[in-house]
């Protein structure tokens, strides 16, 4: 990567997505965007090379907005990055914790710190995002307000961290996908992931039959999620992640069977698997939850 390469993320400077960009693309220009739609558009129109987009969290689950945007988008997955999320409670410099009464942050961040906030007797207030909450607390100068955000946000907006790492679960990790306008070749001599969307035909046992090929061909499906399509209760879209390359014989056969029983299949991309995946398979005593050094 070069310094002129732009990587967009949703949120404000200091967001966890900003940290993910810095870790995966150390020499690129991280550009904040207001919405996920803006990130998708920036990649599709060529104003940015990549987008760093959160897709799921180990505590809060999937980022629903992304799944609803993917079917109509033209983006491709070209990488993934896992970021352990460390939430900091921050307020105006010199403010004692005892004076804080309410805490602003993104709904997922508040949910990931629910037990801690209850124990401290603090009222959670939903805001647009984590870094934006930190910026607002700094701007309002209200000594009874605090924010949950990253250490980077505290540094950027001049806030003081009152409590470190207040997330309820130590394993709290967000998986990001790197999106581009065009697919990029995935290595054939290393572990890769393949992601796709599909909608099965409206016939009995269609899902069972569509997925049967992955089992009979020995393909490991690590993620399968369903969600309603266009607000209709009878039309479900499925998102899946599998291990392997579509040119591998076993995955090729499995996808062929999937297409036979599906009304629509859209390949999102094949990309290098993050070393984080291998790390979490190791025995607990040898496990490291540090993020991968890059995409």
């Amino acid at each position: 990567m070069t310094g002129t390469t732009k990587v967009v993320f949703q949120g404000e400077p200091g967001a966890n997505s900003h940290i993910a960009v810095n870790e995966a693309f150390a020499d690129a220009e991280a550009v904040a965007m207001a919405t996920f739609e803006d990130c998708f558009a920036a990649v599709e129109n060529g104003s940015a090379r990549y987008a760093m987009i959160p897709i799921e969290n180990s505590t809060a689950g999937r980022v629903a907005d992304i799944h609803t945007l993917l079917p109509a988008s033209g983006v491709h997955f070209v990488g993934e990055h896992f970021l352990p999320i460390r939430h900091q409670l921050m307020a105006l410099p010199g403010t004692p914790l005892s004076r804080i009464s309410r805490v602003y942050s993104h709904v997922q961040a508040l949910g990931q710190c629910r037990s801690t906030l209850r124990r401290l007797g603090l009222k959670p207030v939903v805001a647009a995002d984590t870094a934006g909450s930190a910026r607002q607390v700094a701007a309002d100068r209200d000594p009874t307000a605090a924010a949950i955000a990253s250490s980077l946000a505290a540094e950027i907006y001049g806030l003081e961290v009152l409590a470190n790492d207040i997330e309820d679960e130590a394993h709290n990790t967000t998986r990001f996908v790197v999106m581009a306008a065009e697919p990029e070749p995935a290595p054939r001599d290393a572990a890769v992931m393949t992601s796709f969307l599909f909608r099965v035909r409206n016939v009995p046992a269609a899902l069972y039959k569509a997925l049967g090929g992955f089992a009979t061909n020995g393909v490991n499906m690590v993620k399968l999620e369903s969600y309603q399509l266009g607000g209709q209760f009878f039309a479900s879209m499925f998102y899946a992640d599998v291990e392997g390359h579509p040119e591998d014989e076993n995955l090729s056969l499995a996808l062929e069977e999937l297409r036979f029983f599906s009304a629509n299949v859209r390949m999102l991309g094949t990309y290098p698997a993050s070393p984080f995946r291998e790390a979490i398979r190791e025995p607990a005593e040898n496990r490291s939850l540090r993020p991968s050094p890059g995409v």
Side-chain angles (χ1 to χ4, degrees):
M1 304 301 298
T2 67
T4 58
T5 299
K6 290 185 178 180
V7 183
V8 295
F9 65 92
Q10 187 276 329
E12 300 199 27
N16 286 304
S17 296
H18 188 179
I19 297 174
V21 172
N22 288 348
E23 288 187 354
F25 301 100
D27 297 324
E29 178 186 356
V31 180
M33 307 292 284
T35 67
F36 289 124
E37 289 92 337
D38 291 338
C39 292
F40 279 56
V43 168
E44 291 176 311
N45 65 29
S47 60
R49 176 76 178 276
Y50 298 116
M52 179 70 75
I53 303 295
I55 196 167
E56 59 184 319
N57 176 269
S58 62
T59 300
R62 74 185 183 198
V63 182
D65 289 351
I66 306 307
H67 290 70
T68 58
L69 291 172
L70 283 173
S73 75
V75 298
H76 299 267
F77 291 7
V78 298
E80 65 176 355
H81 187 77
F82 289 82
L83 178 71
I85 303 299
R86 301 293 175 253
H87 291 305
Q88 321 302 327
L89 180 66
M90 58 193 68
L92 297 174
T95 303
L97 181 57
S98 59
R99 195 171 182 188
I100 302 300
S101 61
R102 63 191 185 283
V103 181
Y104 295 86
S105 197
H106 187 274
V107 63
Q108 286 214 356
L110 294 171
Q112 292 163 20
C113 303
R114 183 180 295 109
S115 297
T116 301
L117 295 179
R118 186 182 301 113
R119 175 172 54 81
L120 294 175
L122 301 177
K123 178 184 178 180
V125 181
V126 175
D129 57 63
T130 55
S133 299
R135 178 187 57 75
Q136 195 61 49
V137 166
D140 290 347
R141 311 303 297 175
D142 182 351
T144 66
I148 294 175
S150 68
S151 297
L152 178 60
E155 178 183 344
I156 290 173
Y157 301 110
L159 297 179
E160 180 180 333
V161 174
L162 303 181
N164 291 285
D165 303 344
I166 65 169
E167 61 277 357
D168 296 332
E169 302 291 344
H171 64 70
N172 189 21
T173 302
T174 294
R175 177 188 175 224
F176 294 81
V177 289
V178 181
M179 299 181 180
E182 299 294 335
E184 296 183 358
R188 298 306 311 276
D189 58 349
V192 298
M193 301 296 299
T194 295
S195 299
F196 53 90
L197 299 170
F198 68 97
R199 182 164 55 89
V200 296
R201 299 182 187 279
N202 189 22
V203 296
L207 180 60
Y208 173 82
K209 295 173 182 176
L211 297 181
F214 295 94
T216 56
N217 287 285
V219 176
N220 186 22
M221 180 172 286
V222 299
K223 172 69 67 175
L224 178 65
E225 291 186 327
S226 67
Y227 56 101
Q228 299 311 121
L229 186 65
Q232 301 176 13
F233 288 103
F234 56 84
S236 293
M237 180 72 76
F238 293 88
Y239 167 88
D241 294 323
V242 298
E243 294 180 345
H245 196 289
E247 294 179 6
D248 297 339
E249 183 179 8
N250 63 335
L251 182 51
S252 176
L253 291 172
L255 290 172
E256 181 180 345
E257 196 162 338
L258 173 71
R259 291 187 177 96
F260 183 81
F261 290 105
S262 297
N264 178 265
V265 177
R266 188 202 158 189
M267 304 303 294
L268 294 171
T270 299
Y271 47 92
S274 168
F276 186 91
R277 291 186 179 276
E278 192 60 33
I280 61 177
R281 288 176 177 166
E282 297 174 5
E285 60 270 19
N286 298 326
R287 186 174 300 169
S288 170
L289 294 184
R290 291 173 295 185
S292 61
V295 174

